[in-house]
Structures are given as C-alpha cells and as structure tokens.
Amino acid sequence: MDQLSSLIKGKFGKDLITLGTIDSTNTFAMELAEGGATHGTVVIADRQTSGKGRLGRAWLSPAGVNIYMSLILRPFVRPEDATLLTVIAAISCARALRDITRLPISVKWPNDLMIAERKAGGILVEIKSIGRKIVFAVVGIGINVNSDRNDFPPVLTGSATSLKIETSREQPRNLLIAGILNEIERWYDAFSGGKKKLLLDEWRNLSSTIGKTVTIKAGDEVLIGTAEDIDTSGMLLLKLPSGNIKTIHTGDLTILG
Ligand code: BT5
C-alpha cells in the first residue's frame, strides 16, 4: 500500500492500517477508536467475513477486488447532525468515483451510491456518544470496484453492480481510495468551517432521489410520497399525498418514478 500512502494528500489516511481478512473494518475501527486512535485514522481490508450494512444486514465483501474502508473521526458534531457525516461520505465518494471513472454515480438517500438503478456502494456511519456529545464516529465505506457480474449471489444480481461491470475495465482501487479520502477531508473541512449549505447543495446536485415518487420503509411503516428535499440535518422531507411534509430520519427508500 506504499503507492496508496503517496496518493493521499491530506491528514485523512496518513495513519493507515491495512489488513488482509477481518470481520468488519467498522468493528475494528470502533475498537481502535475506543483505544484512542486519532482523528483521520483509516482501516482498509482486502476482505470482510462479516461486513455490516445497516440494521444488522450483511455487506458482501469478497477478497481482493473492492474497497472496504473505515475512517475514524472525532467530530465536533451535535448528535442531531450526525446524519450529515453520511451526507459528507456520500458526496465525497460520488465525486471521487465520477472523477476517476467518468460514470454517472448518484447518491440515493440515505446511504447508497448508485449507477442508474443499481447499487455500487454503501455507507455505514457508527457513532459513540456520551450524553449529548459524540466522542467519535466511524465512517464505513464499501464500494464494488472490480467485482464481476458472477461474483454476486443471485439475490443481488438484479440490484448490485460494480465500477468494472459498468466501464468494462479494471478500475484503480488505490487511486479511488485516495480520491475518496481527499474529498472527504475537503468536505469535512467545509462542514467544520460552517459551510453546511455548500454540502447540502452538492448532495442535491448528485442526488437521484429529489423530486421522485418514492416509498420508504421504516420498521413496519411504509410511506409513499414525493421526495421534496433534505433538511439542514440531512433528513429526508417527504411530501405525503395529503400535501403534508413528513421528516424521515431513516429507512429504506425505493424510487418509483
Ligand atoms: C449499506 O447498508 O449499504 C452499508 C454498507 C457499508 C459497508 C462498509 S464496508 C466497510 C465498512 N465495514 C463494514 O462492516 N461495513 C462498512 P444497507 O443500506 O443496509 O444495505 C445493505 C443491503 O445491500 C443488503 O441487505 C443487500 O441487499 C445489499 N448488499 C449487500 N452487499 C452488497 C454489495 N456488495 N453490493 C451491493 N449491494 C449489497
């Protein structure tokens, strides 16, 4: 990973831990952070045996071809703004992936990186807070870089894709990792410097969600409506058929049209 270190411009990823096989880079990074690892520390693995999605779901993490990465942040973020860390990660990944692959990557609320209707990556932010203070956050990023179509199990073939599948050529994993880290640092600094509006506008530019008719599944509740916007905390504003606006904190979103 020497080459990777030389591609990283800023502080994020200067402390870089690269692993072969691990259960989950997020779990590992949470433990490292508990032990005092510094802001900007990055953990990267070649393969995960228990890669995590949200709500206890699994993230398919075959060896050698993709990105499984977790970034430790010691953010000055109010708990109610924690969702903005997902927004920061999503726009940073989309920008870096667009720059390097030229693919039309979009972000689907709340945490998906999409190429048209298929998922090429996902983000899982985990937080340790004490009272009203976030002590640290771990931003987990999984991206299907060089997976082939037959690497996906049948249950994912209709919904998942990779950068290689979409461009018909191998994509440079280290360049992508460095590009993502450099972008996250840029956007995190903008956010810390009070430029929240810039962040939200960038999300709107990259979003495949805004203006669409969507369903949202959150627990047992299924809502249908129009995705109007995100608010200043990164929550989705859903316009219900009644005309009322409902603020959605989390859920699984499907775009109907
Ligand atoms: C996510 O969850 O999309 C968050 C994924 C975060 C993974 C990274 S890898 C590095 C770090 N360490 C971890 O342990 N996790 C993070 P969610 O929105 O809940 O989506 C999960 C769903 O996506 C699954 O239930 C599957 O349907 C689908 N899925 C699983 N693996 C996939 C893959 N490789 N590509 C596309 N879709 C996948």
PDB file of all heavy atoms in Angstrom, residues 146-177:
ATOM      1  N   ASN A 146     -14.024  -3.888  -8.538  1.00  0.00           N
ATOM      2  CA  ASN A 146     -13.685  -4.799  -9.634  1.00  0.00           C
ATOM      3  C   ASN A 146     -14.401  -6.143  -9.549  1.00  0.00           C
ATOM      4  O   ASN A 146     -13.937  -7.139 -10.114  1.00  0.00           O
ATOM      5  CB  ASN A 146     -12.158  -4.990  -9.695  1.00  0.00           C
ATOM      6  CG  ASN A 146     -11.472  -3.731 -10.234  1.00  0.00           C
ATOM      7  OD1 ASN A 146     -11.956  -3.123 -11.186  1.00  0.00           O
ATOM      8  ND2 ASN A 146     -10.388  -3.319  -9.603  1.00  0.00           N
ATOM      9  N   SER A 147     -15.522  -6.183  -8.843  1.00  0.00           N
ATOM     10  CA  SER A 147     -16.329  -7.412  -8.851  1.00  0.00           C
ATOM     11  C   SER A 147     -16.877  -7.656 -10.248  1.00  0.00           C
ATOM     12  O   SER A 147     -17.250  -6.709 -10.944  1.00  0.00           O
ATOM     13  CB  SER A 147     -17.527  -7.269  -7.897  1.00  0.00           C
ATOM     14  OG  SER A 147     -17.152  -7.540  -6.585  1.00  0.00           O
ATOM     15  N   ASP A 148     -16.932  -8.928 -10.632  1.00  0.00           N
ATOM     16  CA  ASP A 148     -17.575  -9.290 -11.895  1.00  0.00           C
ATOM     17  C   ASP A 148     -19.034  -9.662 -11.614  1.00  0.00           C
ATOM     18  O   ASP A 148     -19.412  -9.917 -10.469  1.00  0.00           O
ATOM     19  CB  ASP A 148     -16.853 -10.489 -12.523  1.00  0.00           C
ATOM     20  CG  ASP A 148     -15.495 -10.082 -13.054  1.00  0.00           C
ATOM     21  OD1 ASP A 148     -15.409  -9.044 -13.748  1.00  0.00           O
ATOM     22  OD2 ASP A 148     -14.506 -10.784 -12.754  1.00  0.00           O
ATOM     23  N   ARG A 149     -19.804  -9.711 -12.682  1.00  0.00           N
ATOM     24  CA  ARG A 149     -21.230  -9.997 -12.516  1.00  0.00           C
ATOM     25  C   ARG A 149     -21.463 -11.310 -11.754  1.00  0.00           C
ATOM     26  O   ARG A 149     -22.314 -11.388 -10.876  1.00  0.00           O
ATOM     27  CB  ARG A 149     -21.877 -10.104 -13.902  1.00  0.00           C
ATOM     28  CG  ARG A 149     -23.205  -9.408 -13.989  1.00  0.00           C
ATOM     29  CD  ARG A 149     -23.734  -9.430 -15.412  1.00  0.00           C
ATOM     30  NE  ARG A 149     -23.258  -8.315 -16.232  1.00  0.00           N
ATOM     31  CZ  ARG A 149     -23.739  -7.081 -16.134  1.00  0.00           C
ATOM     32  NH1 ARG A 149     -24.679  -6.796 -15.266  1.00  0.00           N
ATOM     33  NH2 ARG A 149     -23.266  -6.114 -16.897  1.00  0.00           N
ATOM     34  N   ASN A 150     -20.662 -12.324 -12.064  1.00  0.00           N
ATOM     35  CA  ASN A 150     -20.904 -13.623 -11.408  1.00  0.00           C
ATOM     36  C   ASN A 150     -20.300 -13.709 -10.002  1.00  0.00           C
ATOM     37  O   ASN A 150     -20.369 -14.751  -9.359  1.00  0.00           O
ATOM     38  CB  ASN A 150     -20.446 -14.793 -12.295  1.00  0.00           C
ATOM     39  CG  ASN A 150     -19.005 -14.637 -12.721  1.00  0.00           C
ATOM     40  OD1 ASN A 150     -18.301 -13.809 -12.148  1.00  0.00           O
ATOM     41  ND2 ASN A 150     -18.572 -15.396 -13.711  1.00  0.00           N
ATOM     42  N   ASP A 151     -19.696 -12.627  -9.510  1.00  0.00           N
ATOM     43  CA  ASP A 151     -19.262 -12.586  -8.103  1.00  0.00           C
ATOM     44  C   ASP A 151     -20.449 -12.337  -7.171  1.00  0.00           C
ATOM     45  O   ASP A 151     -20.350 -12.549  -5.964  1.00  0.00           O
ATOM     46  CB  ASP A 151     -18.234 -11.469  -7.880  1.00  0.00           C
ATOM     47  CG  ASP A 151     -16.902 -11.761  -8.548  1.00  0.00           C
ATOM     48  OD1 ASP A 151     -16.607 -12.956  -8.740  1.00  0.00           O
ATOM     49  OD2 ASP A 151     -16.183 -10.805  -8.874  1.00  0.00           O
ATOM     50  N   PHE A 152     -21.542 -11.809  -7.725  1.00  0.00           N
ATOM     51  CA  PHE A 152     -22.695 -11.508  -6.872  1.00  0.00           C
ATOM     52  C   PHE A 152     -23.600 -12.725  -6.767  1.00  0.00           C
ATOM     53  O   PHE A 152     -23.839 -13.414  -7.773  1.00  0.00           O
ATOM     54  CB  PHE A 152     -23.504 -10.337  -7.445  1.00  0.00           C
ATOM     55  CG  PHE A 152     -22.764  -9.028  -7.416  1.00  0.00           C
ATOM     56  CD1 PHE A 152     -22.254  -8.455  -8.564  1.00  0.00           C
ATOM     57  CD2 PHE A 152     -22.568  -8.357  -6.212  1.00  0.00           C
ATOM     58  CE1 PHE A 152     -21.565  -7.258  -8.535  1.00  0.00           C
ATOM     59  CE2 PHE A 152     -21.878  -7.155  -6.178  1.00  0.00           C
ATOM     60  CZ  PHE A 152     -21.372  -6.599  -7.335  1.00  0.00           C
ATOM     61  N   PRO A 153     -24.127 -12.994  -5.586  1.00  0.00           N
ATOM     62  CA  PRO A 153     -25.088 -14.095  -5.462  1.00  0.00           C
ATOM     63  C   PRO A 153     -26.388 -13.728  -6.183  1.00  0.00           C
ATOM     64  O   PRO A 153     -26.654 -12.531  -6.383  1.00  0.00           O
ATOM     65  CB  PRO A 153     -25.307 -14.197  -3.948  1.00  0.00           C
ATOM     66  CG  PRO A 153     -24.974 -12.854  -3.415  1.00  0.00           C
ATOM     67  CD  PRO A 153     -23.930 -12.282  -4.325  1.00  0.00           C
ATOM     68  N   PRO A 154     -27.175 -14.727  -6.580  1.00  0.00           N
ATOM     69  CA  PRO A 154     -28.398 -14.444  -7.354  1.00  0.00           C
ATOM     70  C   PRO A 154     -29.271 -13.362  -6.726  1.00  0.00           C
ATOM     71  O   PRO A 154     -29.845 -12.540  -7.444  1.00  0.00           O
ATOM     72  CB  PRO A 154     -29.121 -15.798  -7.361  1.00  0.00           C
ATOM     73  CG  PRO A 154     -28.031 -16.801  -7.188  1.00  0.00           C
ATOM     74  CD  PRO A 154     -26.959 -16.158  -6.363  1.00  0.00           C
ATOM     75  N   VAL A 155     -29.315 -13.321  -5.399  1.00  0.00           N
ATOM     76  CA  VAL A 155     -30.212 -12.364  -4.746  1.00  0.00           C
ATOM     77  C   VAL A 155     -29.775 -10.907  -5.009  1.00  0.00           C
ATOM     78  O   VAL A 155     -30.586  -9.981  -4.920  1.00  0.00           O
ATOM     79  CB  VAL A 155     -30.305 -12.667  -3.223  1.00  0.00           C
ATOM     80  CG1 VAL A 155     -28.970 -12.511  -2.532  1.00  0.00           C
ATOM     81  CG2 VAL A 155     -31.370 -11.843  -2.537  1.00  0.00           C
ATOM     82  N   LEU A 156     -28.514 -10.702  -5.375  1.00  0.00           N
ATOM     83  CA  LEU A 156     -28.039  -9.330  -5.615  1.00  0.00           C
ATOM     84  C   LEU A 156     -27.837  -8.997  -7.100  1.00  0.00           C
ATOM     85  O   LEU A 156     -27.575  -7.838  -7.429  1.00  0.00           O
ATOM     86  CB  LEU A 156     -26.719  -9.086  -4.876  1.00  0.00           C
ATOM     87  CG  LEU A 156     -26.771  -8.981  -3.349  1.00  0.00           C
ATOM     88  CD1 LEU A 156     -25.378  -8.718  -2.797  1.00  0.00           C
ATOM     89  CD2 LEU A 156     -27.720  -7.876  -2.903  1.00  0.00           C
ATOM     90  N   THR A 157     -27.950  -9.991  -7.979  1.00  0.00           N
ATOM     91  CA  THR A 157     -27.579  -9.706  -9.380  1.00  0.00           C
ATOM     92  C   THR A 157     -28.475  -8.624  -9.998  1.00  0.00           C
ATOM     93  O   THR A 157     -28.012  -7.861 -10.840  1.00  0.00           O
ATOM     94  CB  THR A 157     -27.601 -10.969 -10.278  1.00  0.00           C
ATOM     95  OG1 THR A 157     -28.780 -11.694  -9.976  1.00  0.00           O
ATOM     96  CG2 THR A 157     -26.389 -11.846 -10.063  1.00  0.00           C
ATOM     97  N   GLY A 158     -29.707  -8.553  -9.574  1.00  0.00           N
ATOM     98  CA  GLY A 158     -30.601  -7.538 -10.146  1.00  0.00           C
ATOM     99  C   GLY A 158     -30.412  -6.151  -9.564  1.00  0.00           C
ATOM    100  O   GLY A 158     -30.801  -5.157 -10.183  1.00  0.00           O
ATOM    101  N   SER A 159     -29.800  -6.065  -8.389  1.00  0.00           N
ATOM    102  CA  SER A 159     -29.770  -4.769  -7.697  1.00  0.00           C
ATOM    103  C   SER A 159     -28.372  -4.194  -7.509  1.00  0.00           C
ATOM    104  O   SER A 159     -28.222  -3.022  -7.180  1.00  0.00           O
ATOM    105  CB  SER A 159     -30.422  -4.917  -6.312  1.00  0.00           C
ATOM    106  OG  SER A 159     -29.667  -5.830  -5.522  1.00  0.00           O
ATOM    107  N   ALA A 160     -27.328  -5.033  -7.709  1.00  0.00           N
ATOM    108  CA  ALA A 160     -25.968  -4.555  -7.427  1.00  0.00           C
ATOM    109  C   ALA A 160     -25.151  -4.472  -8.708  1.00  0.00           C
ATOM    110  O   ALA A 160     -25.431  -5.163  -9.691  1.00  0.00           O
ATOM    111  CB  ALA A 160     -25.283  -5.517  -6.456  1.00  0.00           C
ATOM    112  N   THR A 161     -24.146  -3.607  -8.683  1.00  0.00           N
ATOM    113  CA  THR A 161     -23.221  -3.539  -9.813  1.00  0.00           C
ATOM    114  C   THR A 161     -21.847  -3.140  -9.297  1.00  0.00           C
ATOM    115  O   THR A 161     -21.673  -2.906  -8.087  1.00  0.00           O
ATOM    116  CB  THR A 161     -23.726  -2.549 -10.886  1.00  0.00           C
ATOM    117  OG1 THR A 161     -22.938  -2.712 -12.066  1.00  0.00           O
ATOM    118  CG2 THR A 161     -23.659  -1.105 -10.424  1.00  0.00           C
ATOM    119  N   SER A 162     -20.866  -3.102 -10.203  1.00  0.00           N
ATOM    120  CA  SER A 162     -19.529  -2.651  -9.809  1.00  0.00           C
ATOM    121  C   SER A 162     -19.026  -1.649 -10.848  1.00  0.00           C
ATOM    122  O   SER A 162     -19.569  -1.563 -11.962  1.00  0.00           O
ATOM    123  CB  SER A 162     -18.559  -3.831  -9.728  1.00  0.00           C
ATOM    124  OG  SER A 162     -18.191  -4.233 -11.032  1.00  0.00           O
ATOM    125  N   LEU A 163     -17.965  -0.955 -10.487  1.00  0.00           N
ATOM    126  CA  LEU A 163     -17.393   0.021 -11.420  1.00  0.00           C
ATOM    127  C   LEU A 163     -16.850  -0.695 -12.652  1.00  0.00           C
ATOM    128  O   LEU A 163     -16.958  -0.207 -13.765  1.00  0.00           O
ATOM    129  CB  LEU A 163     -16.283   0.814 -10.723  1.00  0.00           C
ATOM    130  CG  LEU A 163     -16.684   1.501  -9.408  1.00  0.00           C
ATOM    131  CD1 LEU A 163     -15.500   2.260  -8.825  1.00  0.00           C
ATOM    132  CD2 LEU A 163     -17.866   2.443  -9.627  1.00  0.00           C
ATOM    133  N   LYS A 164     -16.276  -1.889 -12.428  1.00  0.00           N
ATOM    134  CA  LYS A 164     -15.731  -2.657 -13.560  1.00  0.00           C
ATOM    135  C   LYS A 164     -16.852  -3.112 -14.503  1.00  0.00           C
ATOM    136  O   LYS A 164     -16.718  -3.013 -15.724  1.00  0.00           O
ATOM    137  CB  LYS A 164     -14.959  -3.874 -13.047  1.00  0.00           C
ATOM    138  CG  LYS A 164     -14.331  -4.687 -14.156  1.00  0.00           C
ATOM    139  CD  LYS A 164     -13.586  -5.889 -13.593  1.00  0.00           C
ATOM    140  CE  LYS A 164     -13.114  -6.806 -14.697  1.00  0.00           C
ATOM    141  NZ  LYS A 164     -12.627  -8.075 -14.145  1.00  0.00           N
ATOM    142  N   ILE A 165     -17.934  -3.600 -13.925  1.00  0.00           N
ATOM    143  CA  ILE A 165     -19.053  -4.035 -14.769  1.00  0.00           C
ATOM    144  C   ILE A 165     -19.542  -2.869 -15.643  1.00  0.00           C
ATOM    145  O   ILE A 165     -19.794  -3.017 -16.825  1.00  0.00           O
ATOM    146  CB  ILE A 165     -20.229  -4.582 -13.911  1.00  0.00           C
ATOM    147  CG1 ILE A 165     -19.821  -5.872 -13.202  1.00  0.00           C
ATOM    148  CG2 ILE A 165     -21.476  -4.803 -14.752  1.00  0.00           C
ATOM    149  CD1 ILE A 165     -20.808  -6.345 -12.137  1.00  0.00           C
ATOM    150  N   GLU A 166     -19.617  -1.692 -15.035  1.00  0.00           N
ATOM    151  CA  GLU A 166     -20.192  -0.544 -15.745  1.00  0.00           C
ATOM    152  C   GLU A 166     -19.255   0.063 -16.777  1.00  0.00           C
ATOM    153  O   GLU A 166     -19.707   0.706 -17.721  1.00  0.00           O
ATOM    154  CB  GLU A 166     -20.622   0.541 -14.737  1.00  0.00           C
ATOM    155  CG  GLU A 166     -21.699   0.094 -13.767  1.00  0.00           C
ATOM    156  CD  GLU A 166     -23.047  -0.209 -14.438  1.00  0.00           C
ATOM    157  OE1 GLU A 166     -23.362   0.415 -15.463  1.00  0.00           O
ATOM    158  OE2 GLU A 166     -23.775  -1.087 -13.926  1.00  0.00           O
ATOM    159  N   THR A 167     -17.923  -0.113 -16.580  1.00  0.00           N
ATOM    160  CA  THR A 167     -16.978   0.512 -17.518  1.00  0.00           C
ATOM    161  C   THR A 167     -16.296  -0.528 -18.411  1.00  0.00           C
ATOM    162  O   THR A 167     -15.539  -0.166 -19.309  1.00  0.00           O
ATOM    163  CB  THR A 167     -15.859   1.268 -16.762  1.00  0.00           C
ATOM    164  OG1 THR A 167     -15.227   0.351 -15.848  1.00  0.00           O
ATOM    165  CG2 THR A 167     -16.395   2.456 -15.994  1.00  0.00           C
ATOM    166  N   SER A 168     -16.541  -1.811 -18.099  1.00  0.00           N
ATOM    167  CA  SER A 168     -15.910  -2.919 -18.840  1.00  0.00           C
ATOM    168  C   SER A 168     -14.386  -2.891 -18.751  1.00  0.00           C
ATOM    169  O   SER A 168     -13.698  -3.312 -19.683  1.00  0.00           O
ATOM    170  CB  SER A 168     -16.323  -2.915 -20.321  1.00  0.00           C
ATOM    171  OG  SER A 168     -17.698  -2.943 -20.427  1.00  0.00           O
ATOM    172  N   ARG A 169     -13.858  -2.302 -17.667  1.00  0.00           N
ATOM    173  CA  ARG A 169     -12.409  -2.444 -17.438  1.00  0.00           C
ATOM    174  C   ARG A 169     -12.101  -2.347 -15.946  1.00  0.00           C
ATOM    175  O   ARG A 169     -12.887  -1.788 -15.170  1.00  0.00           O
ATOM    176  CB  ARG A 169     -11.600  -1.429 -18.238  1.00  0.00           C
ATOM    177  CG  ARG A 169     -11.950   0.010 -18.002  1.00  0.00           C
ATOM    178  CD  ARG A 169     -11.200   0.894 -19.014  1.00  0.00           C
ATOM    179  NE  ARG A 169     -11.890   2.152 -19.210  1.00  0.00           N
ATOM    180  CZ  ARG A 169     -11.782   3.191 -18.407  1.00  0.00           C
ATOM    181  NH1 ARG A 169     -10.999   3.159 -17.355  1.00  0.00           N
ATOM    182  NH2 ARG A 169     -12.478   4.294 -18.638  1.00  0.00           N
ATOM    183  N   GLU A 170     -10.945  -2.895 -15.585  1.00  0.00           N
ATOM    184  CA  GLU A 170     -10.482  -2.835 -14.190  1.00  0.00           C
ATOM    185  C   GLU A 170     -10.358  -1.380 -13.767  1.00  0.00           C
ATOM    186  O   GLU A 170      -9.924  -0.543 -14.554  1.00  0.00           O
ATOM    187  CB  GLU A 170      -9.080  -3.460 -14.072  1.00  0.00           C
ATOM    188  CG  GLU A 170      -9.027  -4.951 -14.281  1.00  0.00           C
ATOM    189  CD  GLU A 170      -9.135  -5.734 -12.973  1.00  0.00           C
ATOM    190  OE1 GLU A 170      -8.693  -5.229 -11.927  1.00  0.00           O
ATOM    191  OE2 GLU A 170      -9.693  -6.848 -13.017  1.00  0.00           O
ATOM    192  N   GLN A 171     -10.708  -1.095 -12.516  1.00  0.00           N
ATOM    193  CA  GLN A 171     -10.577   0.274 -12.014  1.00  0.00           C
ATOM    194  C   GLN A 171      -9.515   0.323 -10.908  1.00  0.00           C
ATOM    195  O   GLN A 171      -9.332  -0.653 -10.180  1.00  0.00           O
ATOM    196  CB  GLN A 171     -11.929   0.760 -11.480  1.00  0.00           C
ATOM    197  CG  GLN A 171     -12.980   0.960 -12.566  1.00  0.00           C
ATOM    198  CD  GLN A 171     -12.629   2.074 -13.545  1.00  0.00           C
ATOM    199  OE1 GLN A 171     -11.955   3.042 -13.194  1.00  0.00           O
ATOM    200  NE2 GLN A 171     -13.058   1.924 -14.788  1.00  0.00           N
ATOM    201  N   PRO A 172      -8.803   1.442 -10.805  1.00  0.00           N
ATOM    202  CA  PRO A 172      -7.652   1.541  -9.900  1.00  0.00           C
ATOM    203  C   PRO A 172      -8.080   1.756  -8.441  1.00  0.00           C
ATOM    204  O   PRO A 172      -8.441   2.864  -8.049  1.00  0.00           O
ATOM    205  CB  PRO A 172      -6.906   2.775 -10.431  1.00  0.00           C
ATOM    206  CG  PRO A 172      -7.970   3.612 -11.069  1.00  0.00           C
ATOM    207  CD  PRO A 172      -9.031   2.687 -11.559  1.00  0.00           C
ATOM    208  N   ARG A 173      -8.002   0.683  -7.671  1.00  0.00           N
ATOM    209  CA  ARG A 173      -8.546   0.719  -6.313  1.00  0.00           C
ATOM    210  C   ARG A 173      -7.858   1.782  -5.446  1.00  0.00           C
ATOM    211  O   ARG A 173      -8.513   2.548  -4.746  1.00  0.00           O
ATOM    212  CB  ARG A 173      -8.403  -0.671  -5.681  1.00  0.00           C
ATOM    213  CG  ARG A 173      -9.299  -0.869  -4.492  1.00  0.00           C
ATOM    214  CD  ARG A 173      -9.472  -2.332  -4.156  1.00  0.00           C
ATOM    215  NE  ARG A 173      -8.232  -3.085  -4.180  1.00  0.00           N
ATOM    216  CZ  ARG A 173      -7.940  -4.050  -3.313  1.00  0.00           C
ATOM    217  NH1 ARG A 173      -8.797  -4.351  -2.353  1.00  0.00           N
ATOM    218  NH2 ARG A 173      -6.828  -4.727  -3.393  1.00  0.00           N
ATOM    219  N   ASN A 174      -6.517   1.821  -5.492  1.00  0.00           N
ATOM    220  CA  ASN A 174      -5.815   2.766  -4.620  1.00  0.00           C
ATOM    221  C   ASN A 174      -6.095   4.219  -4.991  1.00  0.00           C
ATOM    222  O   ASN A 174      -6.230   5.079  -4.111  1.00  0.00           O
ATOM    223  CB  ASN A 174      -4.299   2.510  -4.641  1.00  0.00           C
ATOM    224  CG  ASN A 174      -3.950   1.295  -3.792  1.00  0.00           C
ATOM    225  OD1 ASN A 174      -4.800   0.771  -3.085  1.00  0.00           O
ATOM    226  ND2 ASN A 174      -2.703   0.863  -3.859  1.00  0.00           N
ATOM    227  N   LEU A 175      -6.164   4.468  -6.267  1.00  0.00           N
ATOM    228  CA  LEU A 175      -6.471   5.829  -6.720  1.00  0.00           C
ATOM    229  C   LEU A 175      -7.865   6.244  -6.222  1.00  0.00           C
ATOM    230  O   LEU A 175      -8.083   7.382  -5.800  1.00  0.00           O
ATOM    231  CB  LEU A 175      -6.423   5.852  -8.252  1.00  0.00           C
ATOM    232  CG  LEU A 175      -6.245   7.198  -8.925  1.00  0.00           C
ATOM    233  CD1 LEU A 175      -4.923   7.819  -8.500  1.00  0.00           C
ATOM    234  CD2 LEU A 175      -6.270   7.022 -10.457  1.00  0.00           C
ATOM    235  N   LEU A 176      -8.791   5.297  -6.258  1.00  0.00           N
ATOM    236  CA  LEU A 176     -10.149   5.572  -5.790  1.00  0.00           C
ATOM    237  C   LEU A 176     -10.162   5.830  -4.283  1.00  0.00           C
ATOM    238  O   LEU A 176     -10.798   6.779  -3.810  1.00  0.00           O
ATOM    239  CB  LEU A 176     -11.074   4.399  -6.129  1.00  0.00           C
ATOM    240  CG  LEU A 176     -11.414   4.258  -7.615  1.00  0.00           C
ATOM    241  CD1 LEU A 176     -11.907   2.855  -7.927  1.00  0.00           C
ATOM    242  CD2 LEU A 176     -12.461   5.286  -8.021  1.00  0.00           C
ATOM    243  N   ILE A 177      -9.433   4.991  -3.538  1.00  0.00           N
ATOM    244  CA  ILE A 177      -9.389   5.172  -2.075  1.00  0.00           C
ATOM    245  C   ILE A 177      -8.831   6.558  -1.743  1.00  0.00           C
ATOM    246  O   ILE A 177      -9.408   7.309  -0.947  1.00  0.00           O
ATOM    247  CB  ILE A 177      -8.508   4.079  -1.420  1.00  0.00           C
ATOM    248  CG1 ILE A 177      -9.176   2.712  -1.540  1.00  0.00           C
ATOM    249  CG2 ILE A 177      -8.234   4.419   0.046  1.00  0.00           C
ATOM    250  CD1 ILE A 177      -8.293   1.538  -1.114  1.00  0.00           C
TER     251      ILE A 177
END
